[in-house]
Every structure is written in C-alpha cells, then in structure tokens.
C-alpha cells in the first residue's frame, strides 16, 4: 500500500511542527513548506485539512503561524492516516469498466484485511513517537527560518 502525496505531506508537516521549541514563534505554512521541500500550494491544502481534523491550529496575522495541537501530537497515527487516506477499496472494483470478477472475487476482501492490518500497525503510534532520535534532531535542523 502506498500513501497518497497529501498524506505524506501531512505527516511530514505534523512531524515538523512536533519539534517546535515552544518559543511562541510559530512557523507559517510557507516556512514549513520550504523546510519540508514541498510546494506551498500543496502544503496550504494539507494544513487546511489538518486544521479541520483538529491536528493543527493555524493562527492568522501578526504573531500567527502553525502549531500542533495536543491531539495532533499524542493522538493515534492509525486514526490520522485513516482520516487522511479514507478507507475505500485498495483496488478499483467498481471503476469504469467495473471488474468482471467483483461479484465473486476474494481478492477485494483480502486487500481490505491487509489495509486494515496496515492501519492497525499504526494505531499504537503517535506523531510524538515519530520524532524521537534520530528523526527529531534532523527536523530541528529544518526549523531554522530563512534570514531576511
């Protein structure tokens, strides 16, 4: 199973925000996008989705920026990935044209079980778990803002 680009970006942004030092100078979406090497437009969409899910708090204006919420830091990674990816079929049984085996296929059920096992393996983890050494120090190195 391969995560969508949006989920990949969302997880990287959450990890980046998890290592903020709490100085109150929250990074902007543009700064996080640059640090993580993703296009700003993609990052903006992802931040909007993460905000809607309660994972990120986005403040506008002077002194604004992004912050990971407590739920975003300690919540289940499996739940977050389920929300971001959706739990639809791994294969397109009902695509156009639909698969001729769909009425009697055992592959669809096996793939659904495999997908759930993938999510279940992530359930006990949190973003906080992902930012320990050696990842955390690398993320901290990405937190420096460009000089004006």
């Amino acid at each position: 199973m391969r995560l969508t680009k949006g989920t990949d970006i969302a997880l990287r942004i959450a990890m980046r925000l998890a290592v903020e030092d709490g100085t109150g100078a929250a990074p902007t979406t543009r700064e996080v996008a640059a640090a993580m090497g993703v296009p700003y437009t993609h990052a903006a969409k992802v931040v909007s989705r993460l905000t809607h899910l309660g994972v990120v708090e986005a403040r506008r204006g002077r002194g604004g920026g992004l912050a990971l919420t407590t739920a975003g830091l300690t919540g289940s990674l499996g739940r977050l990935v389920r929300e971001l990816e959706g739990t639809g079929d791994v294969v397109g049984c009902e695509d156009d044209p639909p698969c001729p085996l769909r009425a009697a296929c055992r592959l669809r059920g096996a793939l659904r079980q495999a997908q759930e096992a993938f999510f279940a393996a992530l359930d006990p983890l949190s973003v906080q778990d992902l930012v320990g050494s050696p990842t955390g120090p690398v993320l901290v190195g990405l937190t420096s803002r460009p000089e004006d």
Side-chain angles (χ1 to χ4, degrees):
M1 184 172 160
R2 183 176 175 104
L3 298 178
T4 64
K5 191 69 161 173
T7 298
D8 174 38
I9 292 170
L11 294 175
R12 287 193 279 155
I13 287 174
M15 291 168 64
R16 161 60 182 79
L17 293 174
V19 297
E20 266 306 303
D21 58 9
T23 62
T28 66
T29 301
R30 193 168 302 281
E31 290 168 338
V32 171
M36 299 312 299
V38 299
Y40 169 75
T41 53
H42 288 54
K45 275 191 206 178
V46 166
V47 166
S48 176
R49 179 86 169 115
L50 290 172
T51 301
H52 177 75
L53 292 173
V55 173
V56 168
E57 179 184 339
R59 295 179 303 274
R60 293 180 175 255
R62 186 174 169 102
L66 305 175
L68 197 63
T69 64
T70 301
L73 183 64
T74 61
S76 167
L77 194 62
R79 183 200 61 78
L80 178 58
V81 173
R82 278 182 190 90
E83 290 286 335
L84 294 167
E85 286 288 311
T87 55
D89 287 329
V90 176
V91 293
C93 301
E94 302 299 330
D95 288 354
D96 189 25
C99 176
L101 301 176
R102 70 186 183 283
C105 182
R106 295 176 62 185
L107 176 62
R108 186 179 196 175
L111 290 174
R112 187 174 299 279
Q113 284 180 329
Q115 179 184 36
E116 184 48 41
F118 173 79
F119 291 138
L122 297 174
D123 281 339
L125 300 173
S126 68
V127 170
Q128 187 171 35
D129 295 324
L130 301 179
V131 297
S133 189
T135 307
V138 172
L139 287 163
V140 169
L142 300 175
T143 61
S144 60
R145 293 183 178 71
E147 295 180 11
D148 295 338

